[in-house]
Amino acid sequence: MAGEVGQYFQNIGAAVSTLWDGMRVTMGHFIRKKKLNATLQYPRERWPIPERHIGFEEAKYNVIRCRLHVDIDDCIGCMQCVRACPVDCIKIETIKLPKDTELGSLPGSTQTSTTSNGSAKRLLVSRFDIDLAECMYCNLCTFPCPEECIYMVGGPNGHRHPIDYEFSERDRNRLVYQFATATDEEVEQVSKLLEAAAAVKKPAPVATETAEKAPEKKDAGEKEIDLSILNTIEDRIARSKAKVILNQTLRQGKPPGEAVQEIRNTLTELGKLDDQVEAVLAQLGK
């Protein structure tokens, strides 16, 4: 009986001792409170982005796959990013401009007629939406873009847009980013110009036996060119010009060798053909 009473009071003592140890540690944290020691009130408060050293220079390697951004003034509406997206999270709608009409010439228009690389813009981009709730951050849409206007923020694009990988929203619809800047007035102006051009358009000539033949199909054994090879060109202007010329020549049905030669001639005139570019073109022509 005496042993049981002694064990009873020992258990009480142990409970009081462990409770005191826990409270002493807790009170010590309250008295000596440190910054970022407690739970952050996310998303109002966020942890600072840590520095990363993964064996690559940040200027040449995207350390984190972040959200997509579009420099809409450089978009020509080519739809290359839409075709490359494996989950169809990019939606683009364009309106073709009438002949001899430039975007910058529209009354009250804020659109630019050319991109920063000097390419003419023949389409009015009335819609450019990216649903980041569906985006899988594969980065595939950025490679075929001839103007490099769509890219992931941060990393090598840090000088164009700061890094942003935390963009939580309570409403899923707010994760649909809309980049198009075309106004309803601009869309209406272009539509009216198209209607006026269609009204005065001459009837199409009757087809004859001497009608131009359709371009021949590409031979089954002809090798396709890998566009991603051009992404290794370091100079942005040279890289962009090479993509534009390659896309144009291939759409015209020209063989890859002529496309490479045309790229080489154009870059020579611009003074952009150096040893690094020549090595890439040599690899492209293989």
Side-chain angles (χ1 to χ4, degrees), residues 70 72 75 81 90-92 127-130 177-180:
V70 179
I72 195 64
C75 179
C81 55
I90 303 176
K91 307 297 182 185
I92 298 179
R127 180 189 181 190
F128 199 128
D129 298 348
I130 300 179
Y177 284 73
Q178 300 175 338
F179 296 98

Side-chain angles (χ1 to χ4, degrees), residues 75-77 93-107 109 111-114 119-126 182 185-198:
C75 179
I76 59 176
E93 294 178 1
T94 61
I95 304 176
K96 187 176 181 179
L97 296 175
K99 188 177 181 180
D100 300 329
T101 302
E102 295 183 356
L103 280 177
S105 63
L106 298 176
S109 175
Q111 305 292 322
T112 57
S113 300
T114 59
S119 301
K121 296 166 67 173
R122 302 299 307 153
L123 299 171
L124 174 66
V125 181
S126 57
E185 291 76 10
E186 291 171 340
V187 174
E188 185 177 357
Q189 289 177 17
V190 174
S191 300
K192 289 182 178 179
L193 290 174
L194 288 173
E195 292 176 0

Side-chain angles (χ1 to χ4, degrees), residues 2-259:
E4 292 180 358
V5 173
Q7 183 64 39
Y8 173 76
F9 283 107
Q10 285 181 3
N11 292 340
I12 293 177
V16 173
S17 176
T18 54
L19 177 63
W20 168 250
D21 288 340
M23 293 302 296
R24 180 167 52 84
V25 173
T26 302
M27 293 303 297
H29 280 288
F30 272 109
I31 296 173
R32 299 183 298 274
K33 184 179 179 181
K34 297 180 181 180
K35 188 177 181 182
L36 301 178
N37 195 41
T39 302
L40 293 177
Q41 301 301 313
Y42 185 87
R44 182 172 56 84
E45 298 177 347
R46 302 185 181 188
W47 289 99
I49 301 175
E51 294 184 2
R52 287 169 171 78
H53 302 284
I54 56 176
F56 294 89
E57 295 182 12
E58 187 174 346
K60 296 183 178 179
Y61 185 80
N62 211 358
V63 294
I64 295 180
R65 287 184 173 177
C66 307
R67 77 174 180 88
L68 291 167
H69 184 75
V70 179
D71 291 338
I72 195 64
D73 287 340
D74 284 342
C75 179
I76 59 176
C78 63
M79 300 286 186
Q80 295 287 354
C81 55
V82 176
R83 299 185 184 97
C85 180
V87 293
D88 296 328
C89 70
I90 303 176
K91 307 297 182 185
I92 298 179
E93 294 178 1
T94 61
I95 304 176
K96 187 176 181 179
L97 296 175
K99 188 177 181 180
D100 300 329
T101 302
E102 295 183 356
L103 280 177
S105 63
L106 298 176
S109 175
T110 59
Q111 305 292 322
T112 57
S113 300
T114 59
T115 66
S116 59
N117 293 322
S119 301
K121 296 166 67 173
R122 302 299 307 153
L123 299 171
L124 174 66
V125 181
S126 57
R127 180 189 181 190
F128 199 128
D129 298 348
I130 300 179
D131 189 350
L132 288 176
E134 296 183 1
C135 178
M136 57 187 291
Y137 304 93
C138 61
N139 207 27
L140 293 176
C141 60
T142 65
F143 295 116
C145 179
E147 299 298 323
E148 297 186 336
C149 65
I150 182 171
Y151 55 88
M152 286 191 165
V153 300
N157 299 311
H159 64 286
R160 304 170 68 183
H161 195 288
I163 191 171
D164 183 10
Y165 64 91
E166 294 185 11
F167 39 95
S168 60
E169 297 287 353
R170 295 184 182 274
D171 185 359
R172 179 170 178 169
N173 293 326
R174 299 187 64 178
L175 288 174
V176 179
Y177 284 73
Q178 300 175 338
F179 296 98
T181 58
T183 62
D184 293 339
E185 291 76 10
E186 291 171 340
V187 174
E188 185 177 357
Q189 289 177 17
V190 174
S191 300
K192 289 182 178 179
L193 290 174
L194 288 173
E195 292 176 0
V200 299
K201 186 177 180 181
K202 296 181 181 179
V206 179
T208 61
E209 295 181 356
T210 58
E212 184 179 355
K213 295 182 180 179
E216 297 180 358
K217 295 182 178 180
K218 183 170 61 175
D219 294 336
E222 186 175 341
K223 183 181 178 182
E224 294 185 356
I225 290 183
D226 184 6
L227 271 174
S228 62
I229 297 177
L230 296 178
N231 291 317
T232 59
I233 298 178
E234 297 177 357
D235 188 277
R236 182 188 175 191
I237 295 178
R239 184 168 62 245
S240 176
K241 287 292 184 184
K243 289 182 178 180
V244 172
I245 295 172
L246 184 59
N247 282 327
Q248 290 176 348
T249 53
L250 293 182
R251 280 198 297 267
Q252 294 171 0
K254 296 181 180 180
E258 290 188 18

